[in-house]
């Protein structure tokens, strides 16, 4: 049976150094435990006992990837071009991965994860669909009506996203958010077929989650934290600016702690999911209470799509999609001019 060569690269060393093992082999039970032996055991594709190689895995810091320079990986990379770093544009745009059953399975799991994530985070932040009581002059934005909701929402987002990133990372890459998927596409960490399937199933799962919220709440008269705005008080253009820069900040943080291969030795994949969840929680709190009449940045347009599928679609929902995708493009430009392997290129 053919061998699969897995990348074992470190910052400052050539990518071509790879470790190989037969995909039919099993780890020696008498061997002394070590990080390297465990890594080789996890990387078996044949028995699917390890994480699927994917350079765009959130929280993996590109730890679980293949070596593109090894010809033995050609068959795998033909159906999964984003399983190895340095994906070229024509490889990224190749439509052959649509025929990969594994990719469709991963997309379905993304949809299921999105459904659960949207349901839990919306349900924990539900409130009647009316504008909240204005903050008092004494306490200002820190009045209970304006401040307690974002505090609860930020803590929930931190805990839930951390757990979901850990749970889904080895199967799908744990995007669970069109913003993350589109951003990884813009920096060539995600193929076009994966991007299309992931976003499609994420939105579909979120919409179903919103309908389940309606069935659970017994009414369509509700609003969810991060997905409400009263345009007569706060113009949609103002919310667009907050959403844009919140998403841009989230992408820089998420990529820095969860996707940058230079962070493997510092953070390691076991800690990265906590930092990704902390990033979202911090931004949820930072944007959720400052402006009266505005529920804060969403940073996940599928989540708001689900909330509106369960209630009603407002005319200002466009800003969730426009701001998030523009943030992905801007972040991609920075990533293009200052790639994570720049130090190696300079050498």
């Amino acid at each position: 049976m053919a061998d699969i060569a897995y990348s074992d690269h470190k910052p400052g060393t050539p990518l071509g150094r790879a470790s190989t093992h037969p995909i039919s082999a099993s780890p020696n039970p008498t061997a002394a435990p070590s990080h390297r032996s465990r890594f080789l055991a996890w990387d078996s594709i044949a028995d699917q006992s390890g994480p699927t190689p994917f350079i765009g895995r959130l929280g993996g810091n590109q730890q679980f990837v293949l070596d593109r320079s090894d010809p033995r990986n050609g068959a795998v990379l033909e159906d999964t071009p984003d399983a190895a770093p340095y994906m070229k544009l024509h490889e990224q745009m190749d439509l052959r991965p649509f025929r990969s059953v594994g990719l469709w399975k991963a997309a379905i799991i993304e949809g299921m994860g999105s459904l659960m994530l949207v349901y839990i985070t919306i349900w924990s932040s539900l409130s009647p669909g009316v504008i909240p009581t204005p903050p008092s002059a004494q306490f200002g934005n820190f009045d209970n009506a304006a401040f307690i909701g974002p505090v609860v929402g930020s803590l929930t987002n931190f805990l839930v996203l951390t757990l979901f990133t850990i749970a889904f990372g080895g199967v799908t890459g744990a995007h669970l958010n069109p913003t993350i998927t589109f951003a990884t596409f813009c920096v060539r960490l995600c193929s076009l077929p994966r991007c299309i399937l992931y976003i499609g199933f994420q939105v579909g799962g979120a919409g179903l989650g919103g309908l389940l919220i309606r069935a659970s709440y017994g009414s369509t008269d509700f609003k969810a934290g991060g997905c409400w705005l009263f345009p007569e008080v706060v113009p949609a253009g103002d919310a667009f600016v907050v959403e844009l820069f919140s998403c841009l900040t989230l992408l820089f943080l998420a990529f820095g702690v969860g996707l940058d291969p230079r962070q493997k030795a510092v953070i390691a994949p076991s800690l990265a999911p906590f930092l990704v969840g902390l990033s979202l929680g911090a931004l949820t709190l930072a944007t959720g209470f400052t402006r009266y009449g505005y529920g804060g940045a969403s940073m996940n347009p599928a989540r708001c799509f689900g909330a509106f599928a369960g209630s009603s679609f407002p005319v200002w929902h466009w800003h969730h999609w426009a701001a998030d995708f523009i943030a992905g493009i801007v972040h991609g430009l920075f990533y293009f001019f200052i790639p994570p392997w720049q130090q190696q290129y300079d050498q």
Side-chain angles (χ1 to χ4, degrees):
M1 191 173 292
D3 290 357
I4 298 292
Y6 287 86
S7 175
D8 195 21
H9 56 276
K10 299 179 178 63
T13 61
L15 179 66
R17 297 181 181 178
S19 58
T20 64
H21 69 286
I23 59 177
S24 60
S26 59
N28 183 359
T30 63
S34 66
H35 172 75
R36 183 174 179 82
S37 64
R38 288 197 302 269
F39 177 72
L40 294 178
W42 292 339
D43 284 339
S44 173
I45 294 180
D47 57 13
Q48 299 182 2
S49 61
T52 303
F54 176 33
I55 52 177
R57 173 182 173 177
L58 188 61
N61 297 101
Q62 300 190 33
Q63 175 89 16
F64 311 101
V65 298
L66 300 183
D67 182 0
R68 189 175 297 277
S69 64
D70 195 301
R72 289 169 293 183
N73 291 331
V76 176
L77 293 174
E78 183 176 316
D79 287 337
T80 314
D82 50 15
Y86 307 115
M87 180 170 54
K88 297 180 180 179
L89 182 61
H90 72 89
E91 295 170 330
Q92 183 184 27
M93 298 299 178
D94 193 341
L95 300 182
R96 284 180 294 180
F98 275 120
R99 69 188 183 186
S100 171
V101 176
L103 179 57
W104 281 89
K105 290 180 178 179
I108 292 173
I109 296 299
E110 272 285 306
M112 187 62 190
S114 182
L115 186 159
M116 294 186 288
L117 179 69
V118 166
Y119 182 88
I120 293 299
T121 57
I122 289 180
W123 182 258
S124 65
S125 64
L126 279 183
S127 60
V130 296
I131 191 168
T133 303
S136 64
Q138 181 179 3
F139 294 103
N141 292 330
F142 296 97
D143 187 32
N144 287 351
F147 187 65
I148 296 300
V151 169
V152 174
S154 65
L155 179 61
T156 302
N157 283 343
F158 165 52
L159 295 175
V160 172
L161 183 61
T162 297
L163 294 173
F164 272 71
T165 303
I166 295 173
F168 288 85
V171 182
T172 71
H175 288 188
L176 307 171
N177 183 345
T179 303
I180 298 296
T181 299
F182 183 72
T184 56
F185 173 77
C186 289
V187 299
R188 294 192 194 175
L189 295 180
C190 176
S191 66
L192 177 62
R194 188 187 296 270
C195 179
I196 293 174
L197 291 178
Y198 271 26
I199 292 179
F201 278 94
Q202 288 162 358
V203 174
L208 183 56
L211 295 178
L212 291 174
I213 287 289
R214 176 192 296 182
S216 303
Y217 194 67
S219 171
T220 61
D221 186 21
F222 63 81
K223 64 182 188 296
C227 299
W228 60 269
L229 171 71
F230 289 87
E232 65 274 14
V233 178
V234 178
D238 295 7
F240 170 84
V241 176
V242 177
E243 182 77 16
L244 173 62
F245 280 91
S246 298
C247 284
L248 191 58
T249 304
L250 177 65
L251 291 177
F252 271 96
L253 292 176
F255 274 66
V257 302
L259 281 164
D260 192 335
R262 294 170 297 188
Q263 297 281 42
K264 285 189 294 186
V266 179
I267 297 175
S270 58
L271 181 59
F274 291 93
L275 298 179
V276 172
L278 181 61
S279 300
L280 179 63
L283 290 169
T284 300
L285 178 61
T287 63
F289 62 90
T290 302
R291 192 81 183 268
Y292 173 68
Y294 174 52
S298 164
M299 296 169 283
N300 184 344
R303 179 177 177 272
C304 289
F305 178 88
F308 300 143
S311 56
S312 60
F313 283 90
V315 296
W316 42 263
H317 179 43
W318 61 267
H319 87 272
H320 293 122
W321 294 96
D324 290 31
F325 280 27
I326 291 175
I329 294 173
V330 173
H331 173 263
L333 292 175
F334 279 93
Y335 203 95
F336 176 78
F337 288 111
I338 313 175
W341 297 102
Q342 183 66 44
Q343 182 179 3
Q344 293 188 31
Y345 294 151
D346 291 344
Q347 293 175 352

